[in-house]
Amino acid sequence: MAAPQPPQVCRGIIKQVLSGDAVIVRGQPKGGPPPERQINFSNVVAPRTARRATSNAPETTDDPYGWESREFLRKKVIGKEVLFTVETKTSTGREYGSIYLGKDIATGENLTEVMVAEGLVAVRRENIRESNLIDLEETARSQGKGKWASDDAKHVRSVKWTCENMRSFVDKAKGKPIEAVIEHVRDGSTVRCFLLPDFHYITLMISGIRCPMNKLDSEGKLDKSSSEPFADEARYFTESRLLQRDVEIILETFNNNNFVGSIIHPNGNIAEALLREGFARCVDWSIATVTGGPEKLRAAEKQAKEKQLRLWADYKPSSLTIADKDKEFTGKVVEVVNGDALVVKRQDGTTKKIFLSSVRPPRLPDSDTPRPPGKNFRPLYDIPWLFEAREFLRKKLIGQKVHCTVDYIQPAQNNFPEKTCCTVKIGDVYSQQPSARLPRRPSY
């Protein structure tokens, strides 16, 4: 009788850690997102983490040490190259095997043994052949390590799956970096994450950009035929850099049931990277809220346009180009026209009307809203906060020397003339209008 063949040794990158005993391994990308496999550790079982309610299943809570088990493994292997073998495969296609961290399986670190030794998984003792796993478990149990300690109640999280008052939450956290772990990448510019240490689970749209998205059919399944070009590639670009990484998030505003903010990662700004590679476009409705201003995002998008990368493959420069000598100028503010418009007298004596980039002043919520009866409609005084917006800008800027950088020229449209849109600074301070309102996010 022929001896059984040793299992084949495969190589891959840890994309995601599902629990202390299961991971997603991906291959190397070749012309697109790479193939993936879920590998479950043989002969052990990890405590489970909480799951939010879905249409098919109720909400669950953590098993004691479920989060610690997953986090220990995540921090050890996420994004790293590993070796793995598949020893058994069930009728449903689930694969069980061993994973090694190192150059070869002879000298590599066996992750199943590591997790047992830390007391973060339990050994399935029925029909087990690896007596070393039992020995490791007995040692961990005698030392009170991990799940064998006697303080289970202290190791169950209280996860907040919903936020009752998003405005209050943003106001409280705004401008302050919050530690987070990215749990899911919905598309290139939308992620779901846990905010630490309180375990608020949120959906976050990245400020200032929009990536192409995959479309779903009437049954909620992926419809590739109607998905937008580069949706898969943009999602993979973000996923391979951020999924299950430790990041910091700055919440800046919210839209419907989604938070909007910036993601801070030691390797750089993901929004800039997506724009620079042609995987995203700048969007005016949220770019004004970006921490630090929109200039870097617009510059990154401009690079992709000039190189005609991906989304910009058919890009042709607009006739409304800005001459180098007109891109920046200084002058004195001689008139404030509105909450987003002013007139600047330049050093050569000429005057120029400019608009603040990416914002708009208050306006009526609907163009069909009836005007107040019995008097002439005066927008400056009859539109709520419009007068206050103009006054804020007037008191801040009138007679002041300013530095203007032209960001873009908005073409004439709908009987409105062409607009020169600028970033305006007094010294090192941006002139941004706190009472300006952003347009509603368009429905995609």
Side-chain angles (χ1 to χ4, degrees), residues 213-430:
M213 295 189 295
N214 282 312
K215 304 291 185 180
L216 302 179
D217 59 22
S218 58
E219 298 179 356
K221 297 180 180 179
L222 189 64
D223 183 4
K224 288 286 188 181
S225 62
S226 60
S227 292
E228 297 174 336
F230 299 106
D232 286 340
E233 292 86 346
R235 182 173 180 267
Y236 172 70
F237 187 91
T238 299
E239 195 174 69
S240 61
R241 289 159 176 80
L242 292 188
L243 181 61
Q244 288 202 328
R245 274 21 178 230
D246 295 303
V247 299
E248 288 186 330
I249 286 172
I250 299 178
L251 299 179
E252 291 154 347
T253 184
F254 63 94
N255 180 269
N256 296 327
N257 291 321
N258 301 324
F259 288 94
V260 181
S262 298
I263 299 177
I264 303 170
H265 186 276
N267 292 337
N269 186 316
I270 190 66
E272 290 178 40
L274 285 162
L275 289 166
R276 197 161 41 243
E277 295 297 325
F279 284 125
R281 303 174 187 269
C282 287
V283 289
D284 288 344
W285 75 267
S286 67
I287 201 170
T289 68
V290 172
T291 299
E295 294 85 357
K296 290 183 178 180
L297 298 189
R298 293 200 183 280
E301 182 186 64
K302 182 180 177 183
Q303 288 181 34
K305 286 180 176 179
E306 291 172 347
K307 295 178 181 179
Q308 294 183 306
L309 294 176
R310 298 180 177 92
L311 294 176
W312 305 107
D314 299 324
Y315 172 75
K316 295 181 180 179
S318 167
S319 58
L320 301 176
T321 54
I322 307 167
D324 289 340
K325 65 182 180 65
D326 296 325
K327 288 181 179 179
E328 295 189 34
F329 58 90
T330 58
K332 184 171 74 172
V333 177
V334 295
E335 181 183 357
V336 174
V337 181
N338 209 333
D340 69 336
L342 49 139
V343 177
V344 176
K345 185 175 182 180
R346 294 182 287 193
Q347 292 177 324
D348 61 4
T350 60
T351 59
K352 185 170 184 64
K353 183 178 180 181
I354 62 172
F355 294 80
L356 300 183
S357 297
S358 305
V359 299
R360 73 181 190 190
R363 61 179 64 183
L364 291 176
D366 193 322
S367 58
D368 296 329
T369 301
R371 296 178 177 181
K375 64 175 183 178
N376 292 328
F377 181 68
R378 300 173 302 167
L380 183 62
Y381 303 102
D382 293 331
I383 294 178
W385 297 105
L386 184 56
F387 178 76
E388 289 84 351
R390 192 198 70 167
E391 283 299 282
F392 176 89
L393 207 58
R394 180 183 68 80
K395 292 176 180 178
K396 191 177 185 70
L397 293 182
I398 200 69
Q400 296 291 321
K401 181 180 178 180
V402 295
H403 180 85
C404 304
T405 302
V406 180
D407 295 315
Y408 56 95
I409 296 177
Q410 183 174 303
Q413 55 183 340
N414 299 328
N415 296 322
F416 289 100
E418 175 185 301
K419 292 183 177 181
T420 300
C421 300
C422 302
T423 297
V424 179
K425 289 184 181 180
I426 312 174
D428 292 329
V429 180
Y430 291 100

Side-chain angles (χ1 to χ4, degrees), residues 43 124-134:
N43 303 318
R124 296 181 185 270
R125 299 199 176 202
E126 58 272 17
N127 301 321
I128 189 170
R129 297 177 181 177
E130 291 83 354
S131 61
N132 66 312
L133 291 184
I134 296 176

Side-chain angles (χ1 to χ4, degrees), residues 28-257:
Q28 292 293 342
K30 295 180 180 180
E36 301 174 357
R37 296 168 74 174
Q38 178 176 331
I39 305 298
N40 304 276
F41 293 4
S42 294
N43 303 318
V44 297
V45 58
R48 295 305 176 220
T49 55
R51 292 178 179 269
R52 64 175 180 166
T54 66
S55 57
N56 299 320
E59 178 182 322
T60 66
T61 58
D62 280 346
D63 291 340
Y65 287 91
W67 177 251
E68 285 88 342
S69 178
R70 194 209 81 163
E71 282 297 273
F72 180 89
L73 188 59
R74 177 185 72 85
K75 291 179 179 180
K76 191 173 185 66
V77 302
I78 194 70
K80 294 183 179 179
E81 186 174 76
V82 296
L83 303 170
F84 66 95
T85 60
V86 175
E87 293 143 17
T88 58
K89 188 173 183 178
T90 68
S91 58
T92 60
R94 178 167 289 192
E95 296 180 309
Y96 290 85
S98 299
I99 299 180
Y100 302 85
L101 194 58
K103 295 182 179 180
D104 56 68
I105 63 173
T107 61
E109 195 174 18
N110 184 317
L111 295 180
T112 304
E113 294 179 355
V114 171
M115 296 300 288
V116 173
E118 292 294 330
L120 296 174
V121 297
V123 177
R124 296 181 185 270
R125 299 199 176 202
E126 58 272 17
N127 301 321
I128 189 170
R129 297 177 181 177
E130 291 83 354
S131 61
N132 66 312
L133 291 184
I134 296 176
D135 293 340
L136 289 170
E137 183 176 72
E138 289 300 328
T139 301
R141 188 194 298 267
S142 66
Q143 295 174 351
K145 297 184 73 172
K147 69 190 298 293
W148 307 117
S150 57
D151 53 354
D152 285 1
K154 296 180 180 179
H155 295 275
V156 175
R157 296 173 301 158
S158 175
V159 180
K160 291 84 172 174
W161 296 110
T162 58
C163 181
E164 298 298 328
N165 190 331
M166 298 181 72
R167 181 181 297 278
S168 175
F169 195 92
V170 170
D171 289 344
K172 183 178 179 181
K174 195 170 184 180
K176 302 174 184 176
I178 304 171
E179 292 183 2
V181 179
I182 304 299
E183 293 293 309
H184 175 70
V185 177
R186 193 178 75 186
D187 58 65
S189 53
T190 309
V191 302
R192 295 190 176 101
C193 59
F194 278 122
L195 302 182
L196 305 178
D198 296 325
F199 294 104
H200 289 279
Y201 186 77
I202 69 166
T203 299
L204 181 82
M205 297 164 54
I206 301 175
S207 295
I209 68 168
R210 178 188 179 274
C211 290
M213 295 189 295
N214 282 312
K215 304 291 185 180
L216 302 179
D217 59 22
S218 58
E219 298 179 356
K221 297 180 180 179
L222 189 64
D223 183 4
K224 288 286 188 181
S225 62
S226 60
S227 292
E228 297 174 336
F230 299 106
D232 286 340
E233 292 86 346
R235 182 173 180 267
Y236 172 70
F237 187 91
T238 299
E239 195 174 69
S240 61
R241 289 159 176 80
L242 292 188
L243 181 61
Q244 288 202 328
R245 274 21 178 230
D246 295 303
V247 299
E248 288 186 330
I249 286 172
I250 299 178
L251 299 179
E252 291 154 347
T253 184
F254 63 94
N255 180 269
N256 296 327
N257 291 321

